[in-house]
């Protein structure tokens, strides 16, 4: 998977490159709009990460030009401007998703996974990790073949963790995707922590090994090995 | 008094003078014509009596006409018989008057002689075949009128100049408070917002204006003070997590730790970065709310559903503290609001109530309709808000218990955000302390029209 990152802040660009390479993506960097333009003309990419605020050639200009000849390549916009109009402008011009700076890295990788997965039928009816099984049709959860009763919210939370198993999910991601919270300022962190605690008591406490881990300062991950 | 020409003053004086000139002119014209008419009328009576006297002597002693000629009084008349001049006095002859139709009788009228002098003439029958024309010079009348005109022409400019000067002085004196106010206002800047404009008489227009400006200055001063406090508080709040990040990082660098321990340190730093990030999000929401830049998608939503959802979401937090969070709402209750911001307001209120109500306490959420308003009430049986804090509880960074900072107390932005969020939806927030203890926070939304 080839990803082009067009981002003028060098530190951010290098951090993204390193983080994505750790996730086994091939990453090319463009530190200016012109360079991004040039690299886009050389070869196709599976995905483009584009900063909207660039010196020289503006991100929207690159996006507009790219969309003229290539409609398929997913584009993920990074923007420091947390203004609704910018987002709408970006999506109008043909971006596929956006992320507002500062963003959590697990969120970036989750978005990339979602964009790369898109278009491929992902209609799993069952999810699972180790001896944890989830049936999305019957809406049941089994751990070590024992039925675990979950509330609707806990089920949704576990489903989200399972879909991202092996990857860290942040509280922001949970607030937006599980609690459908649009505004970052809504104080849901404590609510999320309580739900994670309950889920852990039901799913993990009676059954070794532990699957639901807390990554301090980042979020939570569902995996067989501790991070 | 300074003679600095101010345009209002010049305009006032100009208007004043022009109007005065108009009035004086009209008055003069009236006087002039009144004097003229009455003098002419008096002259006419003279003409009549002269006519009567002459025609009488003509009838009684027609041969004594020549006596008139000798009369030094300078009487001027002419007697016509048929078409021939029977007799005329030397004065009449000298005047060079020519009577157009001497036989036709007329009332008294003004006739101009060839020499340009004006006479009052009366022609009438004075016996068989005789026509008499009597003339009296208008010269004395003219002289009076001319004098009147000269007096007026001399007096008007002088009077107007005096009036203009007086008007200008008066206008200057009247407008002086404005000059004083302007000079004082010039010196007021962001640093000296506490000074006020002088109020000479609070009842007159200038006093009222000064008071209005002073009130505006008060509001500005308050705003500046709030801004200054906000900036100070914000930097303080930001500094705390920054200090933690810095010191944890610096200490970790000096230590020789294994990978797991380093990971733990980094995690600790990230926790505070998350706190910073959260704080910046809140501040950004509030500042953009101040700028009015937050685009709200207000539409008709069901408040009952929104309240039920928020209560359900926050229920686990209450359960953790063994609090009873109960809801009484019967729906649907349609309101006009932006769902996300209204939810933001309510969740912040609930978060606040759960945080400050002791374990095993009760929090009641009630949705009801009062008059033309929809009320969402969050009532707790906690310690309540001390009266001295009630006025400032919605201020940014304000905490009732100043010692409760950090994780436990939050940044003190929750209620400020709730207040903004409900106001952005056209509503307001109210705080009610209950006598039995505890307090009620009330979101008030206007009824759908």
């Amino acid at each position: 998977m080839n990803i082009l990152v067009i981002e003028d802040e060098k530190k951010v660009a290098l951090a993204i490159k390193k983080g994505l390479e750790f996730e086994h993506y091939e990453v090319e960097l463009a530190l200016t709009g012109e360079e991004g333009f040039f690299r886009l003309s050389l070869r196709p990419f599976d995905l483009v990460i584009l900063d909207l605020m660039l010196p020289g050639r503006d991100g929207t200009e690159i996006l507009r030009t790219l969309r003229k000849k290539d409609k398929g390549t997913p584009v993920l916009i990074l923007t420091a401007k947390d203004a609704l109009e910018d987002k709408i402008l970006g999506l109008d011009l043909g971006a596929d998703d956006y992320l507002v700076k500062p963003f959590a890295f697990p969120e970036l990788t989750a978005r990339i996974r979602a964009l790369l997965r898109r278009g491929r039928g992902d209609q799993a009816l069952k999810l699972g990790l180790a001896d944890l099984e989830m049936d999305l049709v019957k809406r049941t959860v089994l751990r070590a073949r024992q039925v675990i009763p979950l509330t609707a919210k806990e089920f949704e939370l576990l489903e989200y963790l399972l879909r991202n198993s092996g990857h860290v999910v942040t509280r922001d991601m949970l607030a937006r995707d599980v609690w459908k919270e649009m505004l970052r300022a809504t104080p849901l962190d404590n609510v999320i922590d309580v739900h994670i605690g309950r889920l852990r008591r039901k799913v993990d406490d009676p059954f070794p090994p532990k699957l639901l881990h807390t990554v301090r300062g980042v979020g939570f991950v569902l995996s067989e090995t501790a991070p | 008094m300074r003679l600095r020409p101010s345009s209002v003053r010049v305009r006032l004086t100009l208007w004043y003078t022009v109007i005065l000139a108009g009035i004086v002119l009209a008055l003069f014209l009236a006087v002039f014509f009144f004097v003229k008419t009455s003098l002419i009328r008096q002259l006419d009576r003279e003409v009549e009596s002269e006519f009567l006297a002459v025609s009488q002597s003509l009838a009684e002693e027609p041969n004594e006409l020549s006596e008139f000629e000798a009369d030094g009084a300078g009487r001027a008349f002419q007697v016509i018989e048929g078409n021939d001049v029977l007799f005329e006095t030397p004065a009449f002859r000298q005047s060079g008057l020519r009577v157009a139709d001497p036989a036709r009788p007329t009332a008294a009228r003004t006739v101009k002689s060839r020499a340009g002098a004006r006479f009052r003439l009366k022609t009438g029958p004075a016996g068989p075949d005789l026509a008499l024309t009597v003339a009296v010079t208008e010269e004395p009348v003219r002289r009076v009128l001319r004098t009147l005109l000269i007096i007026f022409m001399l007096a008007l400019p002088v009077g107007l100049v005096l009036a203009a000067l007086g008007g200008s002085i008066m206008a200057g004196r009247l407008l002086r408070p404005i000059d004083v106010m302007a000079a004082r206002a010039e010196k007021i800047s962001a640093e000296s917002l506490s000074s006020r404009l002088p109020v000479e008489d609070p009842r007159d227009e200038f006093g009222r204006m000064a008071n209005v400006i002073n009130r505006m200055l008060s509001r500005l001063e308050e705003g500046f003070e709030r801004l200054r406090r906000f900036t100070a508080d914000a930097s303080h709040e930001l500094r705390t997590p920054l200090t933690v990040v810095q010191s944890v990082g610096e200490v970790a660098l000096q230590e020789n730790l294994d990978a797991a321990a380093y990971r733990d340190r980094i995690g600790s730093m990230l926790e505070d970065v998350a706190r910073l990030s959260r704080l910046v999000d809140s501040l950004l929401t509030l500042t953009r709310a101040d700028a009015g830049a937050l685009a709200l998608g207000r539409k008709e939503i069901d408040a009952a559903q929104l309240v039920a959802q928020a209560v359900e979401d926050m229920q686990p937090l209450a359960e953790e503290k063994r609090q009873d969070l109960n809801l009484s709402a019967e729906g649907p209750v349609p309101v006009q609001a932006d769902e996300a911001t209204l939810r933001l307001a309510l969740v912040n209120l609930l978060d606040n109530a759960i945080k400050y109500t002791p374990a095993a306490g009760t929090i009641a959420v009630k949705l009801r309709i009062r008059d033309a308003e929809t009320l969402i009430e969050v009532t707790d049986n906690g310690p309540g808000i001390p009266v001295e804090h009630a006025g400032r509880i919605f201020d940014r960074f304000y905490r009732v218990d100043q010692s409760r900072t950090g994780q436990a107390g939050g940044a003190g932005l929750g209620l400020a955000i709730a207040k903004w969020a409900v106001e952005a939806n056209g509503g307001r927030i109210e705080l009610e302390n209950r006598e039995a203890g505890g307090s009620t926070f009330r979101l008030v939304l206007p009824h759908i029209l």
Side-chain angles (χ1 to χ4, degrees):
Chain A
M1 286 290 173
N2 291 302
I3 297 179
L4 174 63
V5 178
I6 308 176
E7 160 69 77
D8 64 310
E9 280 169 66
K10 205 168 176 186
K11 240 178 161 172
V12 177
L14 286 175
I16 292 176
K17 182 171 194 282
K18 220 165 196 173
L20 290 183
E21 278 169 351
F22 186 76
E23 304 258 333
H24 310 295
Y25 294 108
E26 275 176 47
V27 183
E28 273 188 39
L29 277 189
L31 294 174
T32 63
E34 281 78 8
E35 194 186 343
F37 220 68
F38 174 67
R39 287 187 187 274
L40 274 173
S41 64
L42 286 184
R43 51 168 291 197
F45 290 88
D46 294 309
L47 187 135
V48 178
I49 297 175
L50 176 63
D51 187 359
L52 268 194
M53 293 273 284
L54 288 172
R57 255 177 220 273
D58 189 51
T60 52
E61 203 186 322
I62 294 174
L63 184 54
R64 206 176 285 131
T65 320
L66 175 67
R67 277 297 175 246
K68 261 184 207 150
K69 52 173 185 168
D70 171 12
K71 303 245 185 306
T73 308
V75 175
L76 175 68
I77 286 177
L78 298 181
T79 171
K81 291 194 235 166
D82 187 13
L84 206 61
E85 299 89 88
D86 286 337
K87 293 171 190 170
I88 291 169
L89 179 70
L91 296 180
D92 274 355
L93 288 175
D96 298 272
D97 204 352
Y98 64 86
L99 211 48
V100 176
K101 290 181 187 176
F103 55 86
F105 200 79
E107 179 138 25
L108 178 66
T109 54
R111 300 293 183 95
I112 291 172
R113 284 199 304 279
L115 284 177
L116 292 176
R117 200 166 50 219
R118 210 173 56 177
R120 277 187 275 139
D122 189 19
Q123 301 288 323
L125 300 176
K126 287 189 175 171
L127 299 168
L129 177 73
D131 57 351
L132 176 67
E133 297 164 59
M134 171 177 274
D135 189 320
L136 291 170
V137 180
K138 287 193 270 181
R139 297 197 68 81
T140 52
V141 173
L142 301 176
R143 178 89 201 254
R145 300 223 178 86
Q146 289 181 40
V147 175
I148 300 175
L150 294 179
T151 65
K153 206 50 140 194
E154 285 161 359
F155 188 91
E156 276 180 69
L157 179 59
L158 185 60
E159 181 189 341
Y160 191 78
L161 287 166
L162 271 169
R163 284 191 189 278
N164 289 286
S165 66
H167 301 285
V168 179
V169 300
T170 66
R171 290 182 180 84
D172 271 345
M173 290 162 75
L174 292 174
R176 195 190 49 245
D177 294 335
V178 178
W179 271 267
K180 311 294 177 207
E181 186 53 64
M182 299 302 293
L183 300 173
R184 274 180 165 198
T186 309
L188 284 181
D189 285 2
N190 293 337
V191 173
I192 292 170
D193 287 353
V194 168
H195 274 284
I196 290 283
R198 290 181 180 183
L199 197 58
R200 188 171 271 146
R201 277 199 293 280
K202 287 184 183 175
V203 175
D204 258 359
D205 283 0
F207 311 98
K210 304 282 173 252
L211 294 179
L212 181 49
H213 308 280
T214 299
V215 183
R216 199 175 165 197
V218 185
F220 312 97
V221 60
L222 205 60
S223 81
E224 286 182 79
T225 52
Chain B
M1 195 203 72
R2 288 170 299 155
L3 272 170
R4 185 169 61 88
S6 59
S7 68
V8 171
R9 186 171 159 189
V10 169
R11 271 207 309 270
L12 267 177
T13 311
L14 222 64
W15 271 109
Y16 170 75
T17 314
V18 165
I19 289 170
L20 190 73
I23 291 171
V24 170
L25 195 69
L27 210 65
F28 168 75
L29 286 177
V31 168
F32 185 85
F33 285 106
F34 174 74
V35 169
K36 187 184 174 186
T37 344
S38 49
L39 285 179
I40 292 284
R41 202 169 293 148
Q42 204 185 325
L43 206 59
D44 284 354
R45 277 199 295 277
E46 220 173 291
V47 173
E48 287 290 339
S49 66
E50 184 79 356
F51 184 88
L52 212 66
V54 176
S55 59
Q56 243 166 30
S57 22
L58 258 183
E60 290 162 10
E61 299 155 79
N63 301 323
E64 284 175 19
L65 279 181
S66 49
E67 273 176 33
F68 284 107
E69 198 164 354
D71 192 349
R75 287 178 156 175
F77 62 88
Q78 184 187 47
V79 183
I80 303 258
E81 185 173 26
N83 281 329
D84 304 320
V85 176
L86 186 68
F87 175 81
E88 58 183 5
T89 61
F92 195 93
R93 206 175 308 120
Q94 275 159 26
S95 71
L97 276 168
R98 220 168 45 85
V99 183
D101 186 4
R104 193 169 55 91
T106 62
R109 67 192 192 281
T110 298
V111 172
K112 217 169 169 181
S113 75
R114 252 174 299 173
R118 281 163 209 267
F119 289 87
R120 206 65 183 163
L121 250 63
K122 181 182 162 70
T123 306
D129 252 2
L130 292 181
L132 172 67
T133 298
V134 176
V136 176
T137 175
E138 280 187 7
E139 193 47 41
V141 174
R142 292 282 150 196
R143 214 162 32 234
V144 169
L145 291 180
R146 242 191 330 268
T147 313
L148 199 61
L149 193 66
I150 286 167
I151 291 173
F152 177 74
M153 294 294 262
L154 287 178
L156 182 72
V158 175
L160 283 187
V161 165
L162 285 177
L165 218 66
S168 168
I169 289 171
M170 211 148 78
R173 186 169 290 181
L174 269 176
L175 293 176
R176 197 183 47 198
I178 289 195
D179 280 346
V180 175
M181 275 193 259
R184 183 73 69 88
E186 195 85 52
K187 289 192 194 114
I188 296 177
S189 65
E191 283 74 39
S192 61
L193 268 179
S194 54
S195 59
R196 293 286 176 271
L197 297 183
V199 182
E200 280 175 17
D201 182 352
R203 286 162 305 176
D204 70 10
E205 286 84 346
F206 297 124
R208 284 207 298 275
M209 193 178 86
N211 274 330
V212 166
I213 292 178
N214 281 343
R215 279 199 294 278
M216 184 186 79
L217 282 173
S218 296
R219 288 195 297 276
L220 271 181
E221 189 185 6
E222 255 170 58
F224 263 87
E225 175 55 27
R226 258 208 311 275
L227 192 69
R228 201 191 55 70
R229 208 168 49 224
F230 178 67
T231 316
D233 289 344
S235 18
H236 174 77
E237 291 293 335
L238 291 171
R239 201 177 292 134
T240 315
L242 273 177
T243 310
V244 175
V245 171
Q246 190 181 6
S247 51
V248 170
E250 283 168 354
V251 171
L253 264 186
Q254 284 173 355
E255 285 173 309
N256 223 338
L257 302 170
D258 60 3
Y262 271 124
R263 221 171 248 138
D264 185 62
R265 298 297 166 90
I266 293 171
S268 160
M269 286 161 74
L270 286 177
E271 272 174 7
D272 277 277
V273 169
R275 229 174 101 192
L276 269 174
S277 186
R278 193 66 69 213
L279 193 63
V280 169
D281 283 342
S282 299
L283 288 176
L284 212 63
T285 305
L286 280 172
T287 33
R288 268 188 306 145
D290 283 346
L294 222 118
L296 288 182
R298 281 168 77 175
K299 56 181 198 282
E300 195 177 308
I301 55 170
D302 179 12
Q305 208 182 338
L306 183 133
V307 173
Q309 184 64 52
V311 168
E312 191 193 315
D313 282 347
M314 300 304 278
Q315 194 73 53
L317 283 188
E319 283 168 13
E320 290 296 301
K321 286 182 79 175
R322 289 175 292 108
Q323 291 163 334
D324 174 22
L325 173 61
N326 59 67
L327 166 71
S328 78
E330 278 175 32
V333 179
V335 291
Q336 193 80 27
D338 174 67
E339 193 168 353
T341 42
L342 187 57
R343 180 175 148 78
L344 175 66
L346 184 56
V347 170
N348 267 301
L349 282 193
L350 291 174
D351 191 53
N352 185 70
I354 293 169
K355 214 177 274 174
Y356 293 106
T357 301
T362 305
I363 298 160
V365 181
K366 202 171 182 182
L367 174 69
R368 64 192 181 94
I369 291 168
R370 181 184 68 186
D371 302 330
E373 293 169 327
T374 303
L375 311 180
I376 303 170
E377 293 172 326
V378 179
T379 305
D380 62 60
N381 67 347
I385 313 284
V387 185
E388 66 267 28
H389 297 291
R392 298 191 52 199
I393 192 83
F394 297 110
D395 285 2
R396 291 158 193 194
F397 296 113
Y398 195 80
R399 295 187 194 87
V400 170
D401 185 354
Q402 292 294 334
S403 61
R404 286 188 71 176
T405 58
Q407 303 293 359
L413 287 175
L415 289 178
I417 289 179
K419 176 173 150 62
W420 160 74
V422 70
E423 282 173 358
N425 277 302
R428 62 179 192 278
I429 196 164
E430 289 174 357
L431 166 64
E432 196 177 288
N433 265 315
R434 284 144 35 99
E435 283 177 22
S439 49
T440 297
F441 284 94
R442 185 180 297 125
L443 299 178
V444 184
L445 290 167
H447 219 53
I448 277 185
L449 298 174

